[in-house]
């Protein structure tokens, strides 16, 4: 049982706990407790983007614990990195497209309020230069501009994340439309 293993590992006072896919409420709760007690907890979750990861964490918790879970997550979270491996233009290899959310004070406030979760994508986009956050749309636009992926690949990757996310060039002069 993963939850029992995580609890046992936390009793050993490690600096870092690395978990595979976390999918049940007990494991998520235990991972958050580990982070709350000062451990760096790194876990994976099979979700297509940052927003879906947050939604999955919160909806996995029992309904009566979601509000406090939202508060606990907002205080314990340090970052979410979401990745998609995309075929390169020459189709000989894959290249990662990465979406990054860093838990700043503004992000924590959005996490606490269910009505503001949709603001997270804008915070990620706006924080690109100052703190290193980015959306899939921004990164796929970079990959297209560098000639690493095709426009079709970028559209497909971005369509897996939020419907409003559209890849654009760095200068914002050209926009790829989703079908």
């Amino acid at each position: 049982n993963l939850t029992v293993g995580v609890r046992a590992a936390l009793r050993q006072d490690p600096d870092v706990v690395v978990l595979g896919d976390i999918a049940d409420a007990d494991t998520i709760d235990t991972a958050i407790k580990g982070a709350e007690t000062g451990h760096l907890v790194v876990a994976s979750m099979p979700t297509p983007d940052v927003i879906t990861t947050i939604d999955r964490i919160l909806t996995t918790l029992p309904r009566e614990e979601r509000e406090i879970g939202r508060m606990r997550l907002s205080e314990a979270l340090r970052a979410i990195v979401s990745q998609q491996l995309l075929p390169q233009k020459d189709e000989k290899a894959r290249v990662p497209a990465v979406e990054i959310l860093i838990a700043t004070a503004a992000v924590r406030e959005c996490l606490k309020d269910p009505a503001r979760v949709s603001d997270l994508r804008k915070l990620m986009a706006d924080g690109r230069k100052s703190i290193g956050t980015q959306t899939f749309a921004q990164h796929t636009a970079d990959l297209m501009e560098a000639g690493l992926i095709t426009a079709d690949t970028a559209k497909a990757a971005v369509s897996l994340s939020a419907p409003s996310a559209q890849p654009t060039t760095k200068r914002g002069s050209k926009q790829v439309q989703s079908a």
Side-chain angles (χ1 to χ4, degrees), residues 27-51:
T27 306
I28 290 170
D29 180 64
T30 304
I32 292 173
K33 282 179 186 169
E36 288 171 333
T37 57
H39 301 87
L40 175 61
V41 179
V42 179
S44 65
M45 184 172 269
T47 54
D49 60 21
V50 166
I51 305 299

Side-chain angles (χ1 to χ4, degrees), residues 6-8 10 34 39 45 47-48 69 78 110 115 132 142 155 164 169:
V6 172
R7 286 183 186 139
L10 290 172
H39 301 87
M45 184 172 269
T47 54
R78 295 295 172 253
C110 287
D142 291 346
K155 284 194 304 189
S164 62
T169 64

Side-chain angles (χ1 to χ4, degrees), residues 8 12 25 28-29 50 52 58 69 71 90 105-106 113 124 128 138 141 150 162 164 168:
Q12 301 301 313
I28 290 170
D29 180 64
V50 166
T52 306
L58 295 172
M71 297 297 288
D90 62 10
D113 183 357
M124 281 188 287
R128 189 167 200 202
Q138 289 173 314
T150 65
S164 62
T168 60

Side-chain angles (χ1 to χ4, degrees), residues 49-69:
D49 60 21
V50 166
I51 305 299
T52 306
T53 301
I54 293 165
D55 288 343
R56 177 86 47 89
I57 290 168
L58 295 172
T59 58
T60 300
L61 297 173
R63 188 171 302 282
E64 63 276 3
E65 294 177 22
R66 286 187 191 156
E67 191 59 35
I68 191 70

Side-chain angles (χ1 to χ4, degrees), residues 90-110:
D90 62 10
E91 296 193 19
K92 291 183 180 180
R94 299 216 177 260
V95 61
V98 182
E99 185 168 69
I100 302 168
L101 173 76
I102 296 175
T104 62
V107 166
R108 291 181 195 292
E109 289 305 310
C110 287

Side-chain angles (χ1 to χ4, degrees), residues 153-168:
T153 298
K155 284 194 304 189
V158 172
S159 72
L160 289 175
S161 84
S164 62
Q166 297 281 329
T168 60

